[in-house]
Amino acid sequence: MRILNASGCLDALAAPEVARELDAFVTKTVTPLPREGNAPPRIAETAHGMLNAIGLANPGRERFLAEHLPRVRELGVPVWVSVGGFCADDYAETCSRLTGIEAIELNLSCPNVDEAADSAAEIVAACRRATELPLYAKLSAAHPDVTDVARAVAHAGADGLSLINTLRAVALDKHLRPALARGSGGLSGPALKPVALHAVSVCHEAAALPIVGMGGVQTGRDALEFAACGAADVALGTVLFADPGAPARVRTELAAACAEAGVATPGDAGPLTKSPETGRKVPA
Ligand SMILES: Cc1cc2nc3c(=O)[nH]c(=O)nc-3n(C[C@H](O)[C@H](O)[C@H](O)COP(=O)(O)O)c2cc1C
């Protein structure tokens, strides 16, 4: 099981020693044009997780390719580039320009991008024509049935799935006004884990693609639970803000969690076996 960072949760150039602890570094989502992101405040704490409305702030494709990516590649860690956009051509154009990286993660939860199965498949198909690099489709669990989207992107040529992105949420300040300037934002952290485990489990069955599981992974035991639900790899997001040492710690804890669960490796933990009583894997 590889340990990656979740897109947008680690600046590899500001914290190269953290990036070097990862099996692969995933960049923040890059869009065709530069984006300043939303007005502050754009981060808020909640009792069980973090709310963010960063708004995909990034330097834009040209500066990313000319300045940022070459420096990230110098770190010597395999690089995944997270690609975003507002239409299929935006995504495909960026994909066609990427070389010397390990994989591309398509952030299919961008503002103005319809996450319906058809449009997700159209984006993946356009990117498939534009690159031979492995394509991971990053999905949100907010879709009425995430397995529809998983099947559609698998059919369109995705090589893997990244599950899950944040869930839309609101936090209020002491005056009962939204804590974020934008009003709502994306919830991440521990509250997401049960939702993410379900998405991983049902998509593993539906699409039979390798999955990078994420959403509230804080410990080695969490990572093992993702493996038990069918994830091949995990990504650490919100935990990195509080504990930059999490990649090394989670790796050590994962070995101990395997021993405690009586499995030799995380791969032996999953996917979930059917319950002998009900014949079901995970409740629908
Ligand atoms: C501050 C912040 C910025 C994020 N930026 C991105 C992004 O640029 N692209 C993306 O696909 N996901 C982004 N995410 C979502 C994470 O990659 C991840 O899917 C989500 O936070 C769930 O994992 P976690 O609970 O471990 O944080 C961001 C999350 C946070 C908290």
Side-chain angles (χ1 to χ4, degrees), residues 5-9 27-30 42-43 50-54 56-57 82 105-109 138 163-166 186-190 192-193 214-217 235-239 241:
N5 65 294
S7 174
C9 297
T27 69
K28 177 149 186 69
T29 298
V30 58
R42 45 191 197 176
I43 294 220
M50 175 174 154
L51 211 55
N52 92 82
I54 304 289
L56 294 182
S82 170
E105 185 173 82
L106 301 173
N107 178 0
L108 298 176
S109 323
K138 182 164 179 182
L163 297 165
I164 58 175
N165 214 316
T166 53
L187 181 67
S188 62
L192 248 56
K193 194 181 87 172
M214 72 196 84
V217 177
L236 309 181
T238 302
V239 69
F241 294 98

Side-chain angles (χ1 to χ4, degrees), residues 139-154 161 163-164 193-211 213 225-231 271-272 280-284:
L139 309 181
S140 142
H143 196 271
D145 186 351
V146 68
T147 63
D148 281 350
V149 191
R151 268 188 287 264
V153 296
L161 302 172
L163 297 165
I164 58 175
K193 194 181 87 172
V195 180
L197 289 177
H198 181 261
V200 168
S201 185
V202 293
C203 288
H204 176 80
E205 264 207 81
L209 288 177
I211 295 174
E225 290 184 16
F226 273 85
C229 289
L272 291 176
R280 281 187 309 178
K281 282 184 153 183
V282 169

Side-chain angles (χ1 to χ4, degrees), residues 125-136:
C127 295
R128 184 72 293 158
R129 291 189 290 274
T131 181
E132 290 184 354
L133 285 165
L135 289 174
Y136 276 68

